């Protein structure tokens, strides 16, 4: 039986007001790329409701430069039961703060702050200022992607600033091997451990490292790729994972300009094949890990991008490195950042 589509990511546009050196979507202000027409987005949202929708992520590019954002937010006023996640660089948050404060939905705003070495001084300063902007009942949290360029320069400064504000902070160790992320070196487990030690030493408990359950010692829920989540791209393509799609557009499983979302979700041969993946199909530590049912192989696009065969079943290298580390910690004892009261339970997205 086809699982419910509980989580939908709308990639509203690919354009962005920044040109970050590590961006997996290779976004920039001058990129020529269509945005998702709001009429199409609304049709997909209505259809997704009949498929079991609980939460929508609005993302880009930069979603706050999407020209039809306000009529899109009006739809959520009529569907207060649907939770919303925004992923933004925060620079334009002040323009929409008053409108966001009127939302009755559970919603969160994830602001990416990666530091001066990756984003420049002006963009970093504006993103930090966005943390002070009131947005009503919405919860702000910070996302920081760490590369070799910022773990010894900006990383601790960002963490200290966010900790003083008492805001939840998610650390993504290492760039994706997609888009401009390929221009950055792979961040090995030893470097992750160094960051973890730095945070533990300072007693910052607002931080969660986006690492698999095998490493954290806590039950972390997978993203639900291909099982209970899909993404709609600005051109209407549907994919289980945008990061992988931007590297290989052939990974589209359908297009909502030619098919209904329900038809794609229920009948796509590609999605059916991915849902059939079993633990015995996986490479590396995932093949025998006790956390498989919840983690489902961690970030598959990350594993795929660093796999020689570019396979969905590629090893999650950091777990393999962790298991061979004689000095590995027993667990990474940070409280989990609790976003929108949602979590993955096995491969089913449920509301607490």
């Amino acid at each position: 039986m086809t699982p419910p589509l509980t989580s939908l990511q709308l990639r509203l546009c690919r354009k962005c007001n920044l040109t970050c050196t590590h961006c997996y979507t290779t976004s920039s202000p001058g990129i020529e790329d269509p945005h998702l027409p709001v009429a199409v987005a609304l049709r997909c949202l209505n259809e997704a409701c009949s498929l079991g929708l609980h939460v929508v992520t609005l993302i880009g590019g930069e979603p706050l430069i999407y020209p039809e954002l306000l009529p899109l937010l009006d739809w959520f006023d009529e569907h207060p039961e649907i939770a919303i996640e925004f992923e933004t660089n925060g620079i334009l948050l002040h323009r929409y703060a008053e409108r966001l404060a009127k939302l009755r939905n559970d919603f969160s705003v994830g602001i990416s702050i990666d530091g001066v070495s990756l984003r420049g001084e002006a963009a970093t300063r504006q993103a930090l200022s966005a943390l002070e902007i009131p947005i009503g009942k919405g919860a702000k949290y910070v996302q920081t992607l760490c590369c070799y360029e910022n773990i010894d320069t900006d990383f601790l400064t960002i963490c200290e600033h966010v900790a003083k504000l008492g805001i939840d902070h998610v650390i993504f160790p290492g760039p994706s091997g997609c888009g401009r992320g390929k221009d950055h070196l792979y961040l090995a487990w030893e470097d992750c451990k160094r960051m973890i030690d730095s945070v533990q030493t300072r007693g910052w408990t607002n931080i969660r490292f986006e690492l698999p359950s095998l490493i954290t010692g806590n039950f972390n829920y997978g993203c639900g790729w291909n099982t209970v989540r899909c993404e709609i791209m600005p051109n209407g393509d549907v994919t289980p994972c945008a990061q992988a799609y931007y590297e290989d557009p052939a990974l589209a499983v359908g297009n909502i300009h030619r098919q209904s979302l329900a038809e794609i979700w229920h009948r796509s041969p590609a999605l059916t094949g991915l849902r059939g993946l079993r633990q015995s199909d996986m490479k590396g530590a995932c093949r025998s890990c006790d956390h498989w049912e919840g983690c489902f192989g961690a970030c598959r696009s990350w594993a795929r991008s660093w796999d020689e065969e570019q396979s969905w079943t590629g090893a999650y290298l950091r777990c393999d490195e962790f298991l061979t580390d004689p000095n590995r910690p027993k667990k990474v004892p940070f409280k989990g950042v609790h976003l929108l009261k949602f979590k993955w339970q096995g491969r089913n997205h449920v509301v607490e």
Side-chain angles (χ1 to χ4, degrees):
M1 186 175 71
T2 306
L5 173 58
T6 56
S7 177
L8 181 65
Q9 291 211 351
L10 293 180
R11 296 267 167 176
L12 300 175
C13 57
R14 192 174 181 182
K15 185 173 288 190
C16 185
N17 48 356
L18 298 177
T19 307
C20 298
T21 65
H22 55 298
C23 178
Y24 67 81
T25 70
T26 62
S27 295
S28 69
I31 194 169
E32 293 295 329
D33 198 63
H35 69 265
L36 186 68
V38 71
V40 175
L42 296 178
R43 171 168 60 82
C44 292
L45 287 170
N46 286 324
E47 202 168 348
C49 284
S50 66
L51 297 173
L53 185 65
H54 282 314
V55 61
V56 175
T57 302
L58 302 179
I59 190 171
E62 171 51 51
L64 297 185
I65 66 173
Y66 178 60
E68 299 179 284
L69 182 58
L70 291 178
L72 184 60
L73 293 179
D74 290 343
W75 183 89
F76 288 99
D77 287 335
E78 299 171 4
H79 297 82
E81 74 283 1
I82 303 297
I84 318 166
E85 291 181 342
F86 295 86
E87 294 191 12
T88 172
N89 58 40
I91 291 174
L92 299 176
L93 183 60
H94 63 282
R95 294 186 183 179
Y96 292 98
E98 186 176 344
R99 176 64 183 90
L100 295 179
K102 295 177 181 178
L103 288 170
R104 293 178 293 155
N105 314 66
D106 283 337
F107 75 95
S108 67
V109 177
I111 300 173
S112 56
I113 302 177
D114 303 324
V116 174
S117 56
L118 290 177
R119 285 246 171 104
E121 186 175 345
T124 300
R125 184 173 60 252
Q126 289 173 292
L128 289 171
S129 297
L131 298 179
E132 311 278 357
I133 298 173
I135 53 172
K137 64 181 289 187
K140 290 192 292 287
Y141 66 99
V142 172
Q143 304 180 93
T144 298
L145 185 129
C146 291
C147 302
Y148 279 110
E149 289 83 349
N150 66 350
I151 60 174
D152 290 321
T153 53
D154 306 304
F155 172 66
L156 291 178
T157 302
I158 296 169
C159 290
E160 183 176 18
H161 184 96
V162 176
K164 287 179 180 177
L165 295 175
I167 295 175
D168 286 335
H169 195 174
V170 183
I171 305 293
F172 294 92
S176 163
C178 304
R180 295 192 202 108
K182 290 187 293 186
D183 298 332
H184 295 265
L185 296 174
Y186 168 77
L187 199 67
W189 160 245
E190 281 299 317
D191 300 293
C192 297
K193 187 166 68 170
R194 184 155 55 94
M195 290 191 294
I196 291 167
D197 289 343
S198 297
V199 170
Q200 285 181 322
T201 299
R202 289 161 176 82
W204 291 327
T205 59
N206 65 313
I207 289 178
R208 178 185 63 146
F209 283 85
E210 189 71 9
L211 290 167
S213 302
L214 177 66
I215 295 175
T216 65
N218 300 312
F219 189 82
N220 292 344
Y221 297 88
C223 73
W225 71 284
N226 91 76
T227 51
V228 292
R229 187 195 78 162
C230 72
E231 307 196 42
I232 299 177
M233 310 306 291
N235 65 357
D237 279 349
V238 178
T239 178
C241 175
Q243 287 197 44
Y245 168 90
Y246 279 122
E247 190 67 14
D248 182 5
L251 295 175
V253 298
N255 187 288
I256 44 86
H257 295 301
R258 298 188 293 270
Q259 304 153 276
S260 70
L261 183 59
E263 181 182 359
I264 296 169
W265 185 249
H266 287 297
R267 300 178 185 174
S268 164
L271 283 181
T272 300
L274 288 172
R275 289 175 188 138
L277 286 177
R278 298 292 179 263
Q279 188 172 11
S280 58
D281 299 321
M282 310 304 287
K283 302 175 186 176
C286 293
R287 190 180 179 91
S288 57
C289 182
D290 293 338
H291 298 281
W292 165 258
E293 280 301 320
C295 181
F296 196 38
C299 178
R300 286 290 88 204
S301 71
W302 191 91
R304 187 180 184 277
S305 67
W306 297 108
D307 181 60
E308 290 184 0
E309 299 176 354
Q310 296 284 285
S311 170
W312 286 117
T313 62
Y316 193 86
L317 298 178
R318 215 167 270 144
C319 285
D320 290 36
E321 294 166 350
F322 173 81
L323 289 176
T324 58
D325 178 8
N327 299 312
R328 64 181 182 267
K330 292 183 179 180
K331 67 175 183 175
V332 181
F334 301 113
K335 74 171 187 178
V337 176
H338 192 59
L339 307 178
L340 291 179
K341 301 180 180 178
F342 279 83
K343 61 184 181 180
W344 301 101
Q345 200 160 60
R347 303 187 203 175
N348 297 310
H349 203 196
V350 296
V351 185
E352 285 191 330

